[in-house]
Amino acid sequence: MKRIIFMLFAITALASCEIDREPFGSLQSDRINNNPEESIDALLNGTYAQLKAWSDPMHRLGEYAGDNIMIRGSSTDAFYEFISFARTPNNGRLSTFWDSGYKAVAQASNIIKMIPQGKNAALDSKLGECYFIRGMMYFYLVRAFGRPYYQNPETNLGVPIVNGTPDDVINLNLPDRATVKATYEQVIADLKKAEEMISVNRGPIFASKEAAQALLSRVYLYMSGTYENPNPTYAQLAVDYSTKVINGSRYSLLPRADFMKYNTFIPENNRETIFAIKRVASEFSGADHYYGIGGMYANIGGQGWGEMYASAKYISLLNETGRNDWRPEKYKIVDARAAFIEPTYSKNAAGAYTEVFRFIKDDAGNALNYVQAPITRTGGTITCTEGNDSYTLTPVDAAQEVYSIVYKNGKTYTGVIDYLISLNRVYPQFYIVKASREGEDSHLHSPVISRLGEVYLNRAEAYAKLQNYGSALDDLNRIRTRSIVNGGYAALTAANAGSLIDKERQLELAFQAERSFDVFRNGKPLTRLYPGPQNQTADIAATDFRVVYYIPQSAINSYPGKLTQNPTN
């Protein structure tokens, strides 16, 4: 039965290619070999098409497991397991991530096997794109299903290395999962082959030499150990590959004003984007505006669920240098990354905003919750009211309207005077629009895989792990001062490098599916002590078994051979 299921899977792996109109056989192979230039574009387009289905669960399992977001409450959707860390092997979204990833691996590998290298440079360049896609898929698969590289990569399991549909699909016995180390070796080999072969840059919605170099900079960074115990060899390689991209002339950082509109640019018109998975409005149905990535983060023009918001932890980081004020007539963005957040200010029946003092308090059961207490101004005195209790506000920074109160439980809470933000259940809606409005089209979004801003941060971290703190500071501040005018860090040392670089990566790469992996690969615990239904007080250690996802049970059931599951405790 397993062989039958796998045969169907192998056939499906070619479903987006033009050659699926006839049974795969010698005639097709002869046709492709005789006319490779005529065949490769259709074959390659089918491979890119797999990335569209893959990119949705890729985003959710990477971003939802971090601390940039909160959800309004529990959900029956399979993605809630990513948030709650209640891991199960029967997760439909996880299955889509696995299946689409391996379909892309199969299709890229089949093209590589069918079309010989060396016929001409243009054909070789497109074969190089296949190597990039395959290497990228293996990397994203191993970082989801394999443990962080610093944790015994020689023995921990990665993912199966199955490069293409086997010649004999009847008598299959595929290998079990390779080690994390062996999987990374496959990733590196493929990406280096892509770097070597791709000679034509077709733009940021296609693989390129620079896209391979940018991803290699991240791969080697993942291998570079922790700040406490770095691996200098891999850190240097991360520096080297970052430098190749940075020193090239093809990409540049957007200026601050344009960066604040990053999400609205199509990838082809964004000179900071190195590789993105292209979506177009014609294939983005009405349902996608609700069920796509952006639809959970915001409701725009009446479209989208808008049930997941920027976390209080992330908002606090944005406001660390100075308050970002989103009120329409007082709009002031201190940190450019705050432009991707849009609170849903509510008006009363008379069409006016209600002024409130918003703060976070300790609630029953040691949980944190928001309070939006209406304020009254009497001369120079400002008071706020919660139920029957009234409090006088003490200025902390009156110019920014930051105040504190001594609450009835004896604790002092600091908050801001703001307008009332509409609630979903009990949580203010801090909408996220970084995954919406591409081309100004509601929730249309082409997920960004690599951009130059990340490459600078990759090099900054790698330099720090090499104890080259001066160079690390230069790269870090290039990103920092782009977002915060005159906000550069004064110094970077062994004592603060890890925390400052980690903070900047969190601010810069939020909502790009990087956060949870960044935390765990450096051996840090994930802490989510902020309002929301997540377990606020239980940190997730980097050594916790839940850091990695279970292999989908559907994949184990259909696999022709042994496919070892991840530990359950």
Side-chain angles (χ1 to χ4, degrees), residues 142 153-159 161 177-184:
V142 74
E154 298 86 357
T155 55
N156 285 332
L157 294 181
V159 295
I161 296 174
R177 297 164 62 188
T179 63
V180 167
K181 183 175 185 290
T183 310
Y184 269 78

Side-chain angles (χ1 to χ4, degrees), residues 227 456-457 459-465 467-477 488-504:
Y227 285 99
Y456 272 106
L457 292 173
R459 193 169 72 172
E461 181 178 330
Y463 272 139
K465 288 177 176 176
Q467 300 181 7
N468 185 345
Y469 297 114
S471 295
L473 181 63
D474 288 343
D475 282 343
L476 189 63
N477 276 343
Y489 296 114
L492 208 63
T493 66
N496 68 7
S499 61
L500 295 185
I501 293 170
D502 177 75
K503 177 171 67 175
E504 210 59 34

Side-chain angles (χ1 to χ4, degrees), residues 263-264 284-309 339-344 422 424 429-445:
N263 55 307
T264 68
F284 199 71
S285 70
D288 286 317
H289 290 281
Y290 281 86
Y291 293 98
I293 293 169
M296 280 303 295
Y297 291 145
N299 179 297
I300 298 175
Q303 294 183 306
W305 298 114
E307 296 180 358
M308 196 175 289
Y309 317 119
F340 305 122
I341 309 300
E342 296 183 2
T344 59
S422 55
N424 197 327
Q429 298 179 139
F430 286 95
Y431 279 172
I432 300 160
V433 298
K434 197 175 185 181
S436 301
R437 293 209 181 105
E438 184 176 315
E440 303 296 343
D441 192 341
S442 188
H443 292 300
L444 183 63
H445 173 61

Side-chain angles (χ1 to χ4, degrees), residues 64-229:
Y64 294 2
D67 52 4
N68 296 324
I69 60 98
M70 60 147 290
I71 192 171
R72 66 168 191 164
S74 61
S75 173
T76 57
D77 192 295
F79 68 57
Y80 191 68
E81 292 182 6
F82 306 156
I83 301 170
S84 66
F85 282 80
R87 305 290 188 234
T88 73
N90 296 305
N91 185 301
R93 291 188 183 274
L94 207 56
S95 295
T96 299
F97 174 73
W98 176 281
D99 292 347
S100 298
Y102 270 105
K103 286 177 185 178
V105 167
Q107 290 182 206
S109 298
N110 287 339
I111 296 171
I112 291 168
K113 289 169 66 175
M114 286 187 278
I115 299 178
Q117 182 180 338
K119 288 206 168 187
N120 59 64
L123 197 58
D124 281 356
S125 187
K126 291 178 180 178
L127 285 173
E129 293 181 41
C130 294
Y131 280 105
F132 172 84
I133 292 171
R134 190 171 74 182
M136 180 178 73
M137 289 299 98
Y138 276 130
F139 174 62
Y140 275 80
L141 286 163
V142 74
R143 78 174 191 170
F145 298 107
R147 297 206 64 81
Y149 196 85
Y150 80 93
Q151 298 175 10
N152 303 314
E154 298 86 357
T155 55
N156 285 332
L157 294 181
V159 295
I161 296 174
V162 184
N163 291 335
T165 307
D167 294 330
D168 183 0
V169 296
I170 302 298
N171 300 298
L172 286 179
N173 187 20
L174 295 179
D176 196 358
R177 297 164 62 188
T179 63
V180 167
K181 183 175 185 290
T183 310
Y184 269 78
E185 287 171 349
Q186 175 71 48
V187 170
I188 291 167
D190 281 344
L191 293 178
K192 285 186 174 180
K193 190 72 172 176
E195 179 191 24
E196 170 195 332
M197 294 184 69
I198 301 176
S199 58
V200 178
N201 189 309
R202 299 200 286 156
I205 64 173
F206 299 98
S208 64
K209 181 187 297 291
E210 293 85 355
Q213 293 167 341
L215 194 52
L216 278 165
S217 79
R218 192 196 307 170
V219 170
Y220 282 123
L221 192 68
Y222 273 54
M223 301 170 72
S224 68
T226 65
Y227 285 99
E228 294 77 18
N229 188 24

Side-chain angles (χ1 to χ4, degrees), residues 413-550:
Y413 295 126
T414 300
V416 297
I417 292 178
D418 202 355
Y419 293 151
L420 179 71
I421 298 174
S422 55
L423 302 179
N424 197 327
R425 297 189 179 168
V426 297
Y427 303 113
Q429 298 179 139
F430 286 95
Y431 279 172
I432 300 160
V433 298
K434 197 175 185 181
S436 301
R437 293 209 181 105
E438 184 176 315
E440 303 296 343
D441 192 341
S442 188
H443 292 300
L444 183 63
H445 173 61
S446 295
V448 175
I449 299 299
S450 296
R451 60 181 176 89
L452 189 60
E454 182 217 342
V455 177
Y456 272 106
L457 292 173
N458 291 350
R459 193 169 72 172
E461 181 178 330
Y463 272 139
K465 288 177 176 176
L466 291 168
Q467 300 181 7
N468 185 345
Y469 297 114
S471 295
L473 181 63
D474 288 343
D475 282 343
L476 189 63
N477 276 343
R478 188 177 293 269
I479 300 304
R480 179 78 173 174
T481 56
R482 191 255 300 263
S483 284
I484 304 173
V485 178
N486 299 321
Y489 296 114
L492 208 63
T493 66
N496 68 7
S499 61
L500 295 185
I501 293 170
D502 177 75
K503 177 171 67 175
E504 210 59 34
R505 286 186 73 91
Q506 181 170 10
L507 284 165
E508 183 75 11
L509 304 180
F511 322 119
Q512 289 182 215
E514 299 297 323
R515 177 58 181 164
S516 61
F517 298 110
D518 274 348
V519 172
F520 297 135
R521 68 178 174 80
N522 269 319
K524 304 300 183 185
L526 179 73
T527 61
R528 297 189 291 179
L529 185 58
Y530 52 80
Q534 77 282 349
N535 190 330
Q536 297 180 17
T537 58
D539 294 350
I540 307 296
T543 53
D544 194 292
F545 76 98
R546 295 169 296 172
V547 164
V548 294
Y549 292 96
Y550 288 128

Side-chain angles (χ1 to χ4, degrees), residues 193-345:
K193 190 72 172 176
E195 179 191 24
E196 170 195 332
M197 294 184 69
I198 301 176
S199 58
V200 178
N201 189 309
R202 299 200 286 156
I205 64 173
F206 299 98
S208 64
K209 181 187 297 291
E210 293 85 355
Q213 293 167 341
L215 194 52
L216 278 165
S217 79
R218 192 196 307 170
V219 170
Y220 282 123
L221 192 68
Y222 273 54
M223 301 170 72
S224 68
T226 65
Y227 285 99
E228 294 77 18
N229 188 24
N231 184 307
T233 299
Y234 293 134
Q236 184 60 55
L237 286 166
V239 167
D240 294 344
Y241 275 96
S242 298
T243 301
K244 288 183 179 184
V245 180
I246 291 168
N247 286 356
S249 59
R250 191 174 298 277
Y251 307 100
S252 58
L253 295 176
L254 295 182
R256 187 178 193 271
D258 286 343
F259 174 70
M260 292 165 69
K261 301 180 289 185
Y262 201 107
N263 55 307
T264 68
F265 299 131
I266 63 173
E268 299 93 321
N269 293 342
N270 192 326
R271 62 181 181 271
E272 186 170 331
T273 298
I274 299 170
F275 181 66
I277 297 167
K278 176 70 172 177
R279 301 296 299 269
V280 297
S282 62
E283 66 184 17
F284 199 71
S285 70
D288 286 317
H289 290 281
Y290 281 86
Y291 293 98
I293 293 169
M296 280 303 295
Y297 291 145
N299 179 297
I300 298 175
Q303 294 183 306
W305 298 114
E307 296 180 358
M308 196 175 289
Y309 317 119
S311 69
K313 183 176 184 177
Y314 188 71
I315 297 294
S316 179
L317 286 177
L318 289 174
N319 289 328
E320 192 176 70
T321 304
R323 179 186 176 182
N324 296 280
D325 198 335
W326 292 284
R327 288 174 289 184
E329 76 281 3
K330 296 186 177 183
Y331 191 76
K332 180 183 178 182
I333 297 299
V334 174
D335 189 322
R337 280 85 56 123
F340 305 122
I341 309 300
E342 296 183 2
T344 59
Y345 290 123

